[in-house]
């Protein structure tokens, strides 16, 4: 059996003549946790809604286990959705909210009871059956919404910013819980968020989107360590993105200095984006290092200091556990491996 459970092939979507999705293709494998990540308006929700059957693409194909999914109405797909707004039935208790879909399908009462109990156990809400949903906290309501989705035993669960309404501490706890739940259930999760940290924490693979197009697909490590363009680098974590010129293989000029790098295959004198992660820029005593700069500001961020260092008219963000006070002249160095060269993309 093929590993692929969902395949999008050249999917485009127009709303009122505007391209919202532009020729996107990707495959999601069984039991995978895949996150669609990107800024507001990039088309994440539209992609999810097409998979869920709430929207039809203007062009392209969507396959489920190798068969056309678009021909099936939403309720016939083995797919359930959890939204940010929990959309629970306020006049029903927890049990009836979770049992609703099974009752509609005329499932036998004793089977429903067993399945609801199982689902409540999975979301850590055993014993809450008779509670009114409106009396529950946001986190508990979201668990009920998840239980209501998994009780139908879908093969794929779509989650659209499901933790967006929760406070930061609860969100972090729920991220870990959701990931564990997904592993235990063996269901494929397709998760939408604009929060890069959330995506890096939970996903097996991340699809980074911008303006209706896929920018990169890869594991969290790939996306963080090997961003394919300046958009991905900028969106995933803090980055210094500088203009540079590739002199030749392994030689690049930026900040008025020639650096050795590990990239090759660019044109001679090609203008490129140079990406430096803040933790990879090393500060040295004045007159050491490759170039000289001046510390403009420094703030404590919990684990490290974040300093802004001005050099050659450019501000660099630098992370270090060693504080340099504002006003301190410093040397700056970067090792070749930490200099990432990217092709310029059209803005
Ligand atoms: P967010 O994180 O803000 O939800 P998103 O990446 O999920 O953003 P979408 O909700 O997919 O983005 O929206 C993509 C674009 O399509 C937006 O510009 C949005 O205004 C537009 N759009 C979405 N649904 C419709 C609709 N039914 N009619 C017209 N335009 C729409």
């Amino acid at each position: 059996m093929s590993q692929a459970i969902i395949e999008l092939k050249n999917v485009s979507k127009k709303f009122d003549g505007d391209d919202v999705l532009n020729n996107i293709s990707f495959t999601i494998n069984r039991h995978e946790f895949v996150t669609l990540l990107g800024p507001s308006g990039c088309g994440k929700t539209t992609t999810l809604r097409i998979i869920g059957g709430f929207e039809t693409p203007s062009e392209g194909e969507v396959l489920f286990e190798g068969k056309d999914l678009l021909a099936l109405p939403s309720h016939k797909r083995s797919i359930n959705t959890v939204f940010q707004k929990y959309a629970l039935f306020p006049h029903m208790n927890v049990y009836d909210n979770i049992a609703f879909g099974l009752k509609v399908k005329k499932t036998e009462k004793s089977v429903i009871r067993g399945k609801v109990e199982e689902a409540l156990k999975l979301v850590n809400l055993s014993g809450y059956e008779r509670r009114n949903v409106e009396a529950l906290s946001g986190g508990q309501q979201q668990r009920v919404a998840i239980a209501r989705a998994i009780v139908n035993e879908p093969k794929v669960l779509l989650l659209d910013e499901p933790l967006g309404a929760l406070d930061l501490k609860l969100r972090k706890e729920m991220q870990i819980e959701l990931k564990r739940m997904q592993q235990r259930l063996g269901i494929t999760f397709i998760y939408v968020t604009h929060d890069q940290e959330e995506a890096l924490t939970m996903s097996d693979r991340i699809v980074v989107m911008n303006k209706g197009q896929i920018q990169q697909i890869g594991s969290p490590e790939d996306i963080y360590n090997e961003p394919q363009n300046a958009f991905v680098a900028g969106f995933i974590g803090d980055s210094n993105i500088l203009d540079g010129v590739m002199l030749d293989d392994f030689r690049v000029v930026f900040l008025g200095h020639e650096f050795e790098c590990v990239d090759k295959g660019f044109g001679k004198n090609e203008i490129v984006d140079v990406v430096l992660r803040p933790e990879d820029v090393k500060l040295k005593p004045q007159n050491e290092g490759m170039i000289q700069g001046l510390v403009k500001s420094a703030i404590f961020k919990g684990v490290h200091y974040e300093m802004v260092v001005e050099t050659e008219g450019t501000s660099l963000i630098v992370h270090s556990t060693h504080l340099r006070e504002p006003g301190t002249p410093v040397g700056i160095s970067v090792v070749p491996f930490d200099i990432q060269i990217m092709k310029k993309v059209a803005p």
Side-chain angles (χ1 to χ4, degrees), residues 56-205:
T56 44
S58 313
E59 276 172 59
E61 277 182 277
V62 183
L63 304 182
F64 187 90
E65 297 180 331
K67 296 196 190 89
D68 180 23
L69 182 66
L70 298 175
L72 280 183
S74 171
H75 65 276
K76 294 230 167 112
R77 302 183 182 192
S78 186
I79 297 175
N80 268 87
T81 309
V82 178
F83 299 98
Q84 176 177 349
K85 307 242 167 20
Y86 324 124
L88 298 174
F89 302 116
H91 53 283
M92 290 185 194
N93 63 22
V94 169
Y95 184 94
D96 290 336
N97 261 283
I98 299 173
F100 185 81
L102 296 172
K103 282 185 186 164
V104 170
K105 281 193 227 155
K106 306 228 179 315
T107 311
E108 205 181 301
K109 258 193 174 166
S110 62
V111 176
I112 296 182
R113 193 169 318 116
K115 283 184 190 277
V116 173
E117 271 169 22
E118 184 61 24
L120 278 171
K121 208 154 88 191
L122 268 164
V123 297
N124 269 334
L125 282 182
S126 295
Y128 280 68
E129 288 83 345
R130 302 289 150 221
R131 295 277 191 100
N132 181 340
V133 290
E134 284 187 309
L136 300 178
S137 70
Q140 289 167 336
Q141 290 189 23
Q142 190 55 289
R143 285 165 213 238
V144 175
I146 292 165
R148 191 175 58 175
I150 59 182
V151 82
N152 298 311
E153 296 169 15
K155 289 188 180 166
V156 176
L157 194 61
L158 309 177
L159 301 106
D160 193 357
E161 305 247 5
L163 309 181
L166 307 180
D167 66 48
L168 186 64
K169 186 162 174 289
L170 189 54
R171 203 157 78 214
K172 299 238 173 234
E173 285 169 17
M174 283 292 288
Q175 286 171 5
I176 295 166
E177 233 176 85
L178 266 179
K179 176 78 191 164
R180 281 206 197 115
M181 211 184 290
Q182 186 260 345
Q183 286 166 337
R184 226 168 0 184
L185 287 166
I187 297 180
T188 304
F189 273 33
I190 310 179
Y191 195 94
V192 159
T193 184
H194 60 268
D195 179 338
Q196 42 104 357
E197 203 186 313
E198 189 159 287
L200 292 173
T201 311
M202 304 175 80
S203 322
D204 296 320
R205 280 191 309 148

